[in-house]
Amino acid sequence: MKAKWQISFFLVFSILVYFTFWNYNNRVYDWDMPGYIGTVYTWEFPNNPEKVHQLTFSSIKKEAFDLHYKDLVGTSPVDIPRQVFEKNTQSFTEQLPYYQIKIGYNLVIAFFYKLGLSSPMSVLFVSLISYFFSGLLLFYILKIVFPENYIIAIFITLGAALLPPMTYMARAPLPDMFIFQFMLVFIIAMIKKWQKWWAFLLLFVITFIRPDYITFTLTYLFAATYLFYLKEKKIDIALILQGTILMVLYFGIMKYYNYPGWKDLFYDSFMDRRPIISAQPANFTVKDYLDIIYIKIIYFKKVTLSVTIMISVVFWLSKDVWVRVIALLFLVNVYIKFFFFPQSAALRFFFPFIFPLFIMMLYAISKKYNGFKLNKIP
């Protein structure tokens, strides 16, 4: 069996290399790219926003496909705010805090840029290499879940790698693929029963990469604290300390980069993209918010159906309280993410929570029906 797993790994490795190059050949230069490139150039030229602005768009124009660049700067199709971002330094600079807060992600981009890659390719390379490593991590997880079924592990790994959200995240200059691999590591941490401070280090890294994942990291700590209390009848002070550290990290990042706030993000994303943030307040009512949620949730029905099936299977097949809690953790975070940022048309925002829930469903199926030798989640 060991030899079969080794052959399987080589096969998966080789096909993932091919898939990665395939995604590279279909790479996307989209409108988020200037924000991350601008962040890296701001570190290099902190007192020269005009140069940052000029370098950002000139570097992209030099490499991007003509069709992609026209879309990125809003000339085809026409998008007035994007046109202003390209032409107006103040407008572009005021957008940067939306991107600067993702420090961990930006540091990796800067690392590849310092190694000699162009700034646009540095952003794209992070997504591509994360796609490759995510495939390997998934194969490793499936080897644990299905230790006697290498064929299942191969097909699920390669099938997942071809899912539209996966291929899009691999091709686009976005942090979603990068954070996804850390969510897979989180699954491994649960299966392998990582010591609580090693698990906390992972939660810290996740928050450092994407501060908006503070909702995920804190809900996990809340669940862990609650279950510890049920078992020991006392509060685990270490978990409370960990939550406090994560909150200090989150608010420190927000304060340092003068992040506009959730209200501004919601307004710019779903109501009216402001060319110059400081020129117009982000005012909207609760009714305005609920109207948008109502419209968006209608287009979220496929996700709702999918996660309902997954969580139902977990609860039907597994009586392990901790397995149920972890599955619920991912389910709850799908909807926390939705109510904070209801971009129901873009599955990439929710995929890092949906797919781990799918893995938990596979775990429950494996444990119930196949009797595989699976390390028990603590």
Side-chain angles (χ1 to χ4, degrees), residues 30 53 81 84 93 137 146 152 252 272 301-302 310 337 339 368:
D30 82 349
H53 182 239
V84 178
T93 303
L137 285 168
F146 301 108
I152 292 178
D272 182 24
K301 54 183 179 294
K302 290 183 179 179
M310 292 178 200
K337 184 68 176 179
F339 285 108
K368 177 69 176 181

Side-chain angles (χ1 to χ4, degrees), residues 36-198:
Y36 298 114
I37 292 178
T39 295
V40 172
Y41 280 138
T42 297
W43 290 342
E44 194 167 355
F45 309 103
N47 300 313
N48 196 339
E50 288 80 12
K51 186 171 185 177
V52 169
H53 182 239
Q54 185 273 324
L55 284 174
T56 296
F57 285 95
S58 63
S59 64
I60 298 173
K61 188 173 184 179
K62 188 182 299 183
E63 293 188 21
F65 307 119
D66 185 59
L67 183 65
H68 289 188
Y69 189 76
K70 288 179 179 179
D71 179 54
L72 185 149
V73 298
T75 56
S76 179
V78 175
D79 188 304
I80 300 302
R82 295 189 194 181
Q83 293 181 18
V84 178
F85 299 154
E86 182 199 21
K87 297 174 183 177
N88 187 295
T89 298
Q90 179 188 351
S91 171
F92 176 69
T93 303
E94 290 186 1
Q95 294 291 320
L96 288 183
Y98 285 137
Y99 303 92
Q100 289 172 323
I101 61 170
K102 299 160 187 175
I103 302 176
Y105 176 65
N106 290 319
L107 283 173
V108 177
I109 295 171
F111 172 76
F112 288 121
Y113 176 65
K114 291 298 184 181
L115 284 182
L117 294 180
S118 67
S119 50
M121 188 51 60
S122 296
V123 184
L124 291 167
F125 189 72
V126 174
S127 295
L128 289 165
I129 199 69
S130 298
Y131 172 84
F132 176 75
F133 283 122
S134 293
L136 296 182
L137 285 168
L138 176 57
F139 182 74
Y140 175 70
I141 293 171
L142 293 171
K143 182 179 182 296
I144 299 172
V145 176
F146 301 108
E148 306 296 330
N149 263 294
Y150 59 92
I151 295 178
I152 292 178
I154 292 172
F155 276 99
I156 293 179
T157 299
L158 299 180
L162 291 174
L163 290 173
M166 286 285 285
T167 55
Y168 179 76
M169 292 190 299
R171 299 168 182 178
L174 303 165
D176 303 286
M177 194 74 252
F178 186 62
I179 197 66
F180 179 69
Q181 64 188 332
F182 287 93
M183 297 299 288
L184 293 178
V185 174
F186 177 80
I187 290 289
I188 295 171
M190 295 298 98
I191 294 175
K192 290 293 187 178
K193 300 183 289 186
W194 282 15
Q195 192 270 343
K196 72 175 67 174
W197 284 101
W198 284 113

